[in-house]
Structures are given as structure tokens and as C-alpha cells.
Amino acid sequence: MTMKYVFASPGWMAFMHGMVAERASRLAAEAPDISWSLCEVFTDPPASLSADGAPIAWHVIVRDGEVTFAATESDAVEFKVIVDYEGVVPLGRYDTRGDPDRAAELTAMSQALIAEGRMQTIGDRSNRDPRIGNFHDPIARVTA
């Protein structure tokens, strides 16, 4: 049985941190020049995660094999997503299973949130090194 974590909860953040750190460590040996950075901000989270209703955020910066991970918002990243919590939860749980059709469905779900004004992206992911791999599906599998 797989452990499940509420989306954006402290346990979910710890899982994300561990996954990123493990991937960065593995890549440091084979591709020490790889770097990436990302921030996600979840607006209007439930009171169980944010008693005062403040957004929940996390960011990661990987440079020279070193990982900086924090449960805070950052503008010093290559790609940033600001999204409504309730809107993003279904995306966070959606496992594409590596299937291109399911990946296209996930993209369509994201585009719908953007069209509804519930999601904003800042930056460009098109230059992301493919060796970094997919973080979405592993986290989707453990997201309650």
C-alpha cells in the first residue's frame, strides 16, 4: 500500500523535497551541469492547511548538485505557477502513467484553469533538460 498525503500538506512537501533531493543527487554524478528551479503557489487553501487563508507555496532551486527547498514563495526561479488550490487538486492527483494521451489531458486541464483565470504561469519550461525527468506522476501517485 502506498502512503498518501493531502495535497500541499507538510507530509506532501516532505515527500516532494525527498524526491527532488534524490533526483538531484543521482543527476549530480552523471550531469553536474544540470540546474532547474520551480515555485508553486496555491491560493485559497483550506483552513486545515492554512488557518489564516494565506497561500501555501514551495520552491526548489537545484544548482551544481545542491538543492535548496523551502515551503515559501520565490520569484528567483525559472518557472512559477500560481493556482487556485481547489482547481489544482485534481491535476495534482492525475497520474498520466507516461501515456501521451493522458499527458495531453493533463495539459488540457491546466489550460482550462488558465482560461478560467484560476491559474497563472510565469517563465518558460521549454528549455528544461529532459534528463531531469517527470516529477508529476510520482507525486500524483501519493497525493490524496
Side-chain angles (χ1 to χ4, degrees):
M1 176 180 213
T2 301
M3 184 78 145
K4 295 278 189 171
Y5 305 96
V6 171
F7 184 85
S9 68
W12 186 90
M13 296 276 191
F15 180 89
M16 179 70 76
H17 182 194
M19 183 175 58
V20 170
E22 184 279 329
R23 180 104 28 110
S25 175
R26 189 168 24 96
L27 287 171
E30 67 185 59
D33 60 319
I34 285 183
S35 67
W36 74 89
S37 58
L38 168 72
C39 177
E40 292 184 332
V41 179
F42 310 118
T43 60
D44 298 318
S48 60
L49 295 176
S50 176
D52 64 359
I56 298 169
W58 70 275
H59 75 274
V60 63
I61 300 170
V62 177
R63 295 240 183 333
D64 301 321
E66 296 292 321
V67 176
T68 301
F69 187 99
T72 58
E73 183 174 354
S74 176
D75 291 328
V77 294
E78 298 160 341
F79 192 72
K80 184 173 184 177
V81 178
I82 303 168
V83 61
D84 172 70
Y85 181 92
E86 290 301 320
V88 77
V89 169
L91 277 73
R93 294 176 179 155
Y94 191 85
D95 185 353
T96 70
R97 300 183 204 124
D99 180 326
D101 290 337
R102 289 182 63 83
E105 288 176 21
L106 181 63
T107 298
M109 292 164 72
S110 295
Q111 293 301 319
L113 287 176
I114 291 169
E116 294 167 9
R118 297 173 72 191
M119 181 169 153
Q120 173 188 10
T121 61
I122 303 163
D124 182 9
R125 292 180 104 174
S126 65
N127 293 328
R128 184 174 168 189
D129 192 308
R131 295 176 291 182
I132 295 168
N134 176 319
F135 286 101
H136 178 86
D137 285 350
I139 196 73
R141 291 178 194 125
V142 300
T143 299

